[in-house]
Amino acid sequence: GESVGLHLPTLSVQEGDNSIINCAYSNSASDYFIWYKQESGKGPQFIIDIRSNMDKRQGQRVTVLLNKTVKHLSLQIAATQPGDSAVYFCAERLAGSARQLTFGSGTQLTVLP
Amino acid sequence: DTGVSQNPRHKITKRGQNVTFRCDPISEHNRLYWYRQTLGQGPEFLTYFQNEAQLEKSRLLSDRFSAERPKGSFSTLEIQRTEQGDSAMYLCASSTGALTGELFFGEGSRLTVL
């Protein structure tokens, strides 16, 4: 079946730099997307979401960009901090589904001192 | 703590034994989800409740798995005759009835089948 995937499994950035985590999705019928952060031994934690009728949404230090033409989602983290080190998952929801999310396999972000 | 609560956090069992996990969602959330996560992978959907009704089950949920939410509040996930392939983190999440909206996840129950 169709699934959400990520371009890179790992990403290392210097503290203070900006991070960009990418995600490709294949289901054009998905209408809602979420980024989650998961620290080791913990459950996923919501970061930011975006509906398919938007192409950009900003939060505190984070921005999500959605390009429906190429089915691409990205998460930008400004001024990356050591506490941002975690695995980041994008997830999509198929329009008309039972509201359940399909997750990608994740990107490990490591913030270097 | 008013978040999603799961217990036990860790369970080690021998192959063939039955295990049960419990999830207490955020109190005002009427939707409850179970996901399974293996190392290095994203969570995989197992099943979904709206109040006490189980509305969807993944094909991943074999006959050995059963989930209940008898009063529309807490939920249990039981695995019968466990197999080594059942070793994973079992995550519970809850949400409101909004058309969009995040799932709030618990810390998970890690199962190890020896």
Side-chain angles (χ1 to χ4, degrees):
Chain A
E2 296 182 356
S3 63
V4 175
L6 293 170
H7 292 309
L8 296 172
T10 62
L11 177 66
S12 296
V13 298
Q14 293 289 333
E15 181 178 355
D17 287 352
N18 296 336
S19 303
I20 299 176
I21 301 172
N22 295 304
C23 176
Y25 66 95
S26 57
N27 198 328
S28 58
S30 292
D31 65 351
Y32 180 62
F33 304 87
I34 301 183
W35 280 100
Y36 279 91
K37 171 186 179 183
Q38 188 173 27
E39 297 175 355
S40 181
K42 296 187 177 181
Q45 179 184 7
F46 172 87
I47 301 173
I48 192 167
D49 60 0
I50 189 167
R51 300 186 190 190
S52 60
N53 61 353
M54 303 169 67
D55 54 20
K56 180 179 180 179
R57 191 167 187 216
Q58 289 184 292
Q60 187 177 11
R61 280 202 308 120
V62 294
T63 300
V64 55
L65 299 177
L66 175 63
N67 185 333
K68 294 182 288 294
T69 302
V70 295
K71 299 191 188 72
H72 184 267
L73 195 67
S74 69
L75 176 70
Q76 300 177 1
I77 305 174
T80 314
Q81 302 170 357
D84 295 327
S85 292
V87 177
Y88 289 80
F89 294 99
C90 65
E92 63 178 327
R93 188 193 67 197
L94 182 63
S97 77
R99 284 35 151 197
Q100 55 101 349
L101 299 174
T102 300
F103 285 79
S105 57
T107 293
Q108 172 71 58
L109 174 65
T110 301
V111 181
L112 305 172
Chain B
D1 190 338
T2 57
V4 177
S5 176
Q6 292 188 247
N7 64 81
R9 292 293 312 280
H10 303 275
K11 178 71 176 179
I12 300 173
T13 191
K14 293 182 180 179
R15 188 175 52 190
Q17 298 296 304
N18 299 343
V19 296
T20 299
F21 300 115
R22 175 177 169 129
C23 172
D24 288 90
I26 294 171
S27 58
E28 63 268 26
H29 287 181
N30 60 0
R31 293 183 177 167
L32 186 146
Y33 305 78
W34 284 99
Y35 281 78
R36 180 173 68 188
Q37 186 177 27
T38 54
L39 193 63
Q41 299 298 313
E44 297 174 294
F45 171 77
L46 292 179
T47 191
Y48 152 66
F49 290 86
Q50 182 159 322
N51 299 312
E52 66 276 8
Q54 188 173 19
L55 297 184
E56 186 171 340
K57 293 194 292 185
S58 165
R59 284 171 288 181
L60 293 175
L61 213 65
S62 76
D63 291 343
R64 297 184 297 104
F65 287 70
S66 62
E68 295 182 342
R69 194 182 184 198
K71 298 181 180 180
S73 57
F74 74 91
S75 175
T76 58
L77 176 68
E78 181 182 18
I79 309 173
Q80 296 182 324
R81 304 181 303 281
T82 52
E83 301 172 356
Q84 288 185 325
D86 296 332
S87 295
M89 175 77 83
Y90 290 86
L91 292 163
C92 177
S94 69
S95 73
T96 66
L99 290 178
T100 57
E102 63 192 278
L103 302 188
F104 293 81
F105 282 88
E107 301 288 27
S109 294
R110 178 166 294 284
L111 173 65
T112 301
V113 182
L114 303 177

